[in-house]
Amino acid sequence: MKCNLLLLLMLVAAVTVHAEKVDTTAVHTQCLLIAASGDSILRGTSDSVRIIYNEKFHAGIDSVLKMPQSFAYSFATIKNLSVLTSDDDHFRLYTWMVPTDKGMKYQYFGFVQVYNEEKKTVKIYSLQEKEYASNDAAEYLKLNDSTWYGALYYKIVHKRYDKKDQYILLGWKGNNVYTTRKVIDNIVITPAKIEFGKPVFKCGGKPKSRVILEYNATANVSLKYNEDERMIIHDHLSSSDPKPESKGVFALYGPDMTYIGYSFKDGFWFMEKDVQVRNDFAPGPKNVELNRDLRLQRKD
């Protein structure tokens, strides 16, 4: 069985660098050391080796992010780390994964770094992934840094309504050898805490806190924010088996050449079915093959 491990780090937009010139020499020096642990997370010969290096990596990132000047650093030297900055320079998201069971499963880790422009200080939150019984259950839960859904984020969509900021997160979540997930989530940042999953997605019935797409691991599924349409657009998923008992067997799910869209209005994202996609518009990003530096070598 071939491993079709997918990663969207290479699709992450260039990190916004703080306009003020900041000396990041000390951060760079530490990141050169951290990068070696990051490489070993992906190339380790066993789960135990990868876990040991992940502990070192996590501690190193934690230490660096406590340095305010790290908010202006690109982190380009650390290849396995996804770094996103909100367009208002309010916060950054750092996420990465640890492959386990010979690349069959994945664990997710991350930090949120909040920047205080007035005080020139940062506050960080360590994200602790939690597993949930079903996608349906997870779609209606408000979560926090200790109950995080877990994903590699590749896009932040920033909106404002009623003088309040709303940050939508698009993420990739490799699940196992059979299925992959993508997620539309959101984060709320207050002076005292962070929360994930404000119920802003109106899909009919009770508003959802997040939208989870799960499908066959070999399928290419698009989820992106389209600037021209001002919509979040993704492939609509359906089962390849019409039998009623196949409903919810996500290893059978894939794109059916129709699209779902979400439009922002009055602080909510309203779902629209059968969104028309122009012939000259590619709704990607599609899943992409893993960067060579991140590809696991394992026997099928």
Side-chain angles (χ1 to χ4, degrees):
M1 183 181 297
K2 294 184 178 180
C3 177
N4 190 24
L5 185 60
L6 309 171
L7 186 64
L8 294 170
L9 286 173
M10 59 194 296
L11 296 172
V12 175
V15 174
T16 302
V17 179
H18 210 254
E20 179 182 350
K21 187 175 182 180
V22 177
D23 185 358
T24 59
T25 303
V27 176
H28 181 70
T29 300
Q30 284 195 237
C31 284
L32 290 177
L33 300 174
I34 295 170
S37 294
D39 185 70
S40 295
I41 288 173
L42 298 163
R43 298 179 183 275
T45 55
S46 67
D47 287 355
S48 59
V49 169
R50 287 190 286 271
I51 290 170
I52 289 171
Y53 277 105
N54 183 60
E55 291 174 352
K56 295 180 180 179
F57 185 84
H58 193 282
I61 295 294
D62 180 88
S63 177
V64 165
L65 296 187
K66 290 176 181 175
M67 304 166 66
Q69 59 268 40
S70 66
F71 200 84
Y73 185 66
S74 71
F75 287 87
T77 56
I78 304 179
K79 302 301 182 182
N80 66 310
L81 183 68
S82 171
V83 183
L84 295 176
T85 308
S86 62
D87 60 4
D88 57 358
D89 283 346
H90 183 41
F91 74 98
R92 270 183 162 186
L93 275 168
Y94 304 81
T95 53
W96 71 95
M97 70 174 182
V98 178
T100 60
D101 294 345
K102 297 182 180 180
M104 298 285 191
K105 296 181 181 178
Y106 315 95
Q107 296 177 13
Y108 295 85
F109 299 85
F111 287 94
V112 177
Q113 184 186 41
V114 183
Y115 186 74
N116 187 311
E117 174 68 30
E118 182 179 349
K119 297 180 179 180
K120 309 299 182 186
T121 59
V122 292
K123 185 173 183 178
I124 66 170
Y125 298 87
S126 177
L127 302 178
Q128 309 298 318
E129 183 187 21
K130 182 178 178 180
E131 293 188 9
Y132 295 92
S134 69
N135 293 344
D136 288 341
E139 285 186 322
Y140 293 94
L141 296 176
K142 283 188 177 181
L143 308 176
N144 56 39
D145 48 320
S146 63
T147 58
W148 178 50
Y149 180 71
L152 279 173
Y153 297 121
Y154 57 88
K155 179 70 175 178
I156 300 174
V157 180
H158 180 200
K159 296 290 185 181
R160 280 184 65 84
Y161 176 73
D162 196 24
K163 299 182 180 179
K164 294 181 180 179
D165 292 295
Q166 187 179 123
Y167 303 98
I168 300 299
L169 312 176
L170 305 185
W172 177 92
K173 186 181 178 74
N175 184 37
N176 53 42
V177 71
Y178 304 108
T179 67
T180 294
R181 295 170 182 159
K182 286 188 177 179
V183 59
I184 313 171
D185 210 329
N186 66 90
I187 184 171
V188 176
I189 300 173
T190 69
K193 62 183 179 180
I194 63 170
E195 289 184 335
F196 295 92
K198 183 178 180 181
V200 296
F201 302 104
K202 291 202 171 184
C203 311
K206 181 181 177 181
K208 291 184 177 182
S209 295
R210 62 190 51 79
V211 177
I212 300 170
L213 310 175
E214 186 168 0
Y215 50 91
N216 185 280
T218 64
N220 285 326
V221 172
S222 169
L223 169 63
K224 72 167 291 185
Y225 178 71
N226 181 260
E227 298 286 351
D228 294 334
E229 303 292 338
R230 297 184 180 180
M231 296 180 72
I232 298 170
I233 299 176
H234 67 75
D235 284 295
H236 179 259
L237 304 177
S238 60
S239 175
S240 60
D241 188 338
K243 297 186 184 69
E245 57 267 29
S246 297
K247 183 178 181 180
V249 181
F250 296 112
L252 298 174
Y253 280 55
D256 61 8
M257 303 304 291
T258 64
Y259 300 95
I260 299 292
Y262 292 84
S263 298
F264 186 71
K265 182 180 179 182
D266 298 335
F268 290 91
W269 292 84
F270 291 85
M271 185 183 76
E272 299 179 26
K273 297 181 179 180
D274 297 319
V275 172
Q276 297 300 309
V277 176
R278 299 191 308 271
N279 291 334
D280 61 344
F281 165 63
K286 294 287 187 180
N287 292 341
V288 294
E289 289 191 5
L290 193 63
N291 182 290
R292 289 181 183 274
D293 291 336
L294 305 178
R295 188 183 302 277
L296 289 174
Q297 300 298 322
R298 69 174 181 85
K299 293 182 180 180
D300 293 337

